Amino acid sequence: MAKLKEISKFISLILRHKPEAIGITLDEHGWANVSELIEGISNQYKFNMEMLEEIVNTDEKQRYSFNDEKTLIRANQGHSIPVDVELEKLEPPEYLWHGTGEKYVSSIDKQGLIPRSRLYVHLSSDEETATKVGKRHGKPVLYKIKSKEMWQNGFEFFLSKNAVWLTKEVPVYYLIKC
């Protein structure tokens, strides 16, 4: 199982940031050819379609999606390379949440939430998920986002296939530090 987790992280790197790491390319919507992905990964790990399906089906964050024929695969969000994963634009709930580590608070308090190396800022619909995310970065700090007000002021929100809310930025005005 540990090997599958390691391979899943490698797939995340490939499909979100560096497809060239195994010599493949993504199309404009972030899709990779499954056969090429398996072949590329097989140069470093013992790997096959069954293992890929297990990773996709058991990933607790639902990071990946197949097309209907399972000939293409992509990461649902979190890209640092420019792709259009055909996100659905939606009106957000009144509040969304962002979890981060204590070390990032002074920067966030000055700049707001910015995507840094990613295409979007990632937001959660509940405190519990945001807290889990924050713990990955050290002592967690939560921000409550006035998302409905942002929407009313012209900011766009998208909901990824794995229920992560995305937006281009969250200015300081819309942040409430908890």
Side-chain angles (χ1 to χ4, degrees):
M1 189 61 165
K3 187 63 96 177
L4 279 184
K5 189 171 186 171
E6 184 179 323
I7 295 171
S8 179
K9 287 182 179 183
F10 188 46
I11 292 170
S12 182
L13 173 75
I14 294 163
L15 296 180
R16 294 162 90 185
H17 312 292
K18 293 186 175 184
E20 69 277 6
I22 61 166
I24 67 169
T25 57
L26 307 180
D27 74 10
E28 69 272 14
H29 299 294
W31 293 106
N33 179 289
V34 168
S35 298
E36 291 174 4
L37 179 75
I38 291 170
E39 183 180 330
I41 292 171
S42 293
N43 291 328
Q44 296 185 43
Y45 298 96
K46 181 179 185 231
F47 191 66
N48 59 38
M49 183 63 174
E50 291 75 29
M51 295 168 78
L52 180 59
E53 287 178 319
E54 184 175 346
I55 287 169
V56 171
N57 294 332
T58 61
D59 186 80
E60 67 180 34
K61 294 180 184 175
Q62 300 175 328
R63 287 181 184 95
Y64 318 108
S65 293
F66 283 117
N67 68 343
D68 291 339
E69 299 82 25
K70 292 189 178 179
T71 57
L72 300 173
I73 186 171
R74 71 177 171 193
N76 289 321
Q77 87 326 285
H79 298 84
S80 62
I81 55 177
V83 295
D84 173 11
V85 292
E86 304 162 300
L87 295 167
E88 183 179 1
K89 192 184 312 182
L90 287 175
E91 181 176 345
E94 186 170 359
Y95 297 105
L96 290 169
W97 299 87
H98 183 80
T100 191
E102 200 174 44
K103 60 187 170 189
Y104 301 114
V105 168
S106 65
S107 173
I108 292 169
D109 288 348
K110 288 179 194 149
Q111 298 181 351
L113 295 172
I114 56 175
R116 298 203 178 261
S117 63
R118 295 189 176 185
L119 300 179
Y120 296 98
V121 171
H122 294 201
L123 305 171
S124 305
S125 57
D126 61 89
E127 286 180 76
E128 183 181 337
T129 302
T131 300
K132 284 181 189 174
V133 171
K135 284 182 180 177
R136 292 197 315 246
H137 302 283
K139 185 178 177 191
V141 176
L142 293 184
Y143 286 90
K144 189 175 181 179
I145 288 82
K146 299 183 262 184
S147 46
K148 180 76 114 192
E149 186 177 343
M150 284 181 66
W151 173 267
Q152 291 167 341
N153 290 332
F155 289 85
E156 294 181 335
F157 285 82
F158 306 92
L159 186 59
S160 70
K161 283 188 87 137
N162 59 342
V164 174
W165 284 92
L166 305 168
T167 191
K168 286 289 187 184
E169 65 174 323
V170 180
V172 173
Y173 172 80
Y174 299 102
L175 294 173
I176 302 166
K177 190 171 11 173
C178 300

